[in-house]
mmCIF file of all heavy atoms in Angstrom:
data_model
loop_
_atom_site.group_PDB
_atom_site.id
_atom_site.type_symbol
_atom_site.label_atom_id
_atom_site.label_comp_id
_atom_site.label_asym_id
_atom_site.label_seq_id
_atom_site.Cartn_x
_atom_site.Cartn_y
_atom_site.Cartn_z
ATOM 1 N N ALA R 1275 -3.545 -12.203 44.552
ATOM 2 C CA ALA R 1275 -2.798 -10.988 44.224
ATOM 3 C C ALA R 1275 -1.920 -10.614 45.427
ATOM 4 O O ALA R 1275 -2.360 -10.682 46.572
ATOM 5 C CB ALA R 1275 -3.767 -9.854 43.908
ATOM 6 N N ALA R 1276 -0.673 -10.254 45.136
ATOM 7 C CA ALA R 1276 0.215 -9.885 46.236
ATOM 8 C C ALA R 1276 -0.284 -8.579 46.864
ATOM 9 O O ALA R 1276 -0.722 -7.670 46.171
ATOM 10 C CB ALA R 1276 1.632 -9.706 45.707
ATOM 11 N N ILE R 1277 -0.241 -8.523 48.181
ATOM 12 C CA ILE R 1277 -0.717 -7.317 48.884
ATOM 13 C C ILE R 1277 0.291 -6.192 48.667
ATOM 14 O O ILE R 1277 1.495 -6.376 48.868
ATOM 15 C CB ILE R 1277 -0.932 -7.620 50.381
ATOM 16 C CG1 ILE R 1277 -2.093 -8.621 50.497
ATOM 17 C CG2 ILE R 1277 -1.221 -6.347 51.171
ATOM 18 C CD1 ILE R 1277 -2.304 -9.186 51.860
ATOM 19 N N TYR R 1278 -0.235 -5.060 48.252
ATOM 20 C CA TYR R 1278 0.657 -3.967 47.856
ATOM 21 C C TYR R 1278 1.186 -3.225 49.084
ATOM 22 O O TYR R 1278 0.412 -2.793 49.939
ATOM 23 C CB TYR R 1278 -0.105 -3.005 46.937
ATOM 24 C CG TYR R 1278 0.807 -1.946 46.378
ATOM 25 C CD1 TYR R 1278 1.880 -2.308 45.567
ATOM 26 C CD2 TYR R 1278 0.635 -0.601 46.696
ATOM 27 C CE1 TYR R 1278 2.746 -1.355 45.070
ATOM 28 C CE2 TYR R 1278 1.490 0.359 46.202
ATOM 29 C CZ TYR R 1278 2.544 -0.022 45.398
ATOM 30 O OH TYR R 1278 3.401 0.925 44.915
ATOM 31 N N PRO R 1279 2.501 -3.057 49.171
ATOM 32 C CA PRO R 1279 3.076 -2.435 50.369
ATOM 33 C C PRO R 1279 2.979 -0.909 50.389
ATOM 34 O O PRO R 1279 3.419 -0.286 51.354
ATOM 35 C CB PRO R 1279 4.543 -2.887 50.305
ATOM 36 C CG PRO R 1279 4.810 -3.117 48.856
ATOM 37 C CD PRO R 1279 3.519 -3.577 48.246
ATOM 38 N N GLY R 1280 2.458 -0.305 49.337
ATOM 39 C CA GLY R 1280 2.259 1.157 49.370
ATOM 40 C C GLY R 1280 3.474 1.944 48.887
ATOM 41 O O GLY R 1280 3.553 3.161 49.097
ATOM 42 N N THR R 1281 4.397 1.265 48.232
ATOM 43 C CA THR R 1281 5.661 1.900 47.821
ATOM 44 C C THR R 1281 5.459 3.244 47.092
ATOM 45 O O THR R 1281 6.152 4.213 47.378
ATOM 46 C CB THR R 1281 6.434 0.941 46.874
ATOM 47 O OG1 THR R 1281 6.312 -0.376 47.392
ATOM 48 C CG2 THR R 1281 7.885 1.344 46.723
ATOM 49 N N CYS R 1282 4.526 3.289 46.141
ATOM 50 C CA CYS R 1282 4.390 4.491 45.296
ATOM 51 C C CYS R 1282 3.248 5.401 45.753
ATOM 52 O O CYS R 1282 2.894 6.354 45.062
ATOM 53 C CB CYS R 1282 4.160 4.083 43.838
ATOM 54 S SG CYS R 1282 5.464 3.043 43.168
ATOM 55 N N ARG R 1283 2.702 5.099 46.919
ATOM 56 C CA ARG R 1283 1.551 5.844 47.446
ATOM 57 C C ARG R 1283 1.773 7.346 47.502
ATOM 58 O O ARG R 1283 0.874 8.136 47.264
ATOM 59 C CB ARG R 1283 1.303 5.365 48.868
ATOM 60 C CG ARG R 1283 -0.098 4.977 49.083
ATOM 61 C CD ARG R 1283 -0.350 4.537 50.473
ATOM 62 N NE ARG R 1283 -1.760 4.183 50.426
ATOM 63 C CZ ARG R 1283 -2.631 4.387 51.364
ATOM 64 N NH1 ARG R 1283 -2.258 4.910 52.488
ATOM 65 N NH2 ARG R 1283 -3.883 4.075 51.181
ATOM 66 N N HIS R 1284 2.995 7.725 47.866
ATOM 67 C CA HIS R 1284 3.253 9.158 48.053
ATOM 68 C C HIS R 1284 4.107 9.710 46.923
ATOM 69 O O HIS R 1284 4.822 10.695 47.094
ATOM 70 C CB HIS R 1284 3.889 9.396 49.424
ATOM 71 C CG HIS R 1284 3.024 8.861 50.526
ATOM 72 N ND1 HIS R 1284 1.804 9.411 50.836
ATOM 73 C CD2 HIS R 1284 3.158 7.778 51.326
ATOM 74 C CE1 HIS R 1284 1.238 8.700 51.810
ATOM 75 N NE2 HIS R 1284 2.029 7.699 52.107
ATOM 76 N N GLY R 1285 4.053 9.062 45.794
ATOM 77 C CA GLY R 1285 4.788 9.560 44.624
ATOM 78 C C GLY R 1285 5.797 8.537 44.142
ATOM 79 O O GLY R 1285 6.299 7.721 44.924
ATOM 80 N N LEU R 1286 6.065 8.586 42.848
ATOM 81 C CA LEU R 1286 7.036 7.662 42.266
ATOM 82 C C LEU R 1286 8.435 8.076 42.706
ATOM 83 O O LEU R 1286 8.756 9.268 42.733
ATOM 84 C CB LEU R 1286 6.966 7.752 40.739
ATOM 85 C CG LEU R 1286 5.776 7.098 40.037
ATOM 86 C CD1 LEU R 1286 5.812 7.426 38.544
ATOM 87 C CD2 LEU R 1286 5.806 5.590 40.237
ATOM 88 N N ALA R 1287 9.251 7.111 43.040
ATOM 89 C CA ALA R 1287 10.640 7.422 43.381
ATOM 90 C C ALA R 1287 11.337 7.956 42.132
ATOM 91 O O ALA R 1287 10.959 7.580 41.008
ATOM 92 C CB ALA R 1287 11.328 6.156 43.889
ATOM 93 N N PRO R 1288 12.357 8.830 42.292
ATOM 94 C CA PRO R 1288 13.048 9.379 41.126
ATOM 95 C C PRO R 1288 13.532 8.260 40.213
ATOM 96 O O PRO R 1288 14.018 7.231 40.676
ATOM 97 C CB PRO R 1288 14.243 10.142 41.737
ATOM 98 C CG PRO R 1288 13.876 10.369 43.163
ATOM 99 C CD PRO R 1288 12.915 9.283 43.561
ATOM 100 N N GLY R 1289 13.360 8.455 38.937
ATOM 101 C CA GLY R 1289 13.838 7.472 37.966
ATOM 102 C C GLY R 1289 12.843 6.363 37.677
ATOM 103 O O GLY R 1289 13.056 5.561 36.767
#
Side-chain angles (χ1 to χ4, degrees):
I1277 294 171
Y1278 186 62
T1281 319
C1282 302
R1283 231 181 181 218
H1284 303 292
L1286 285 174

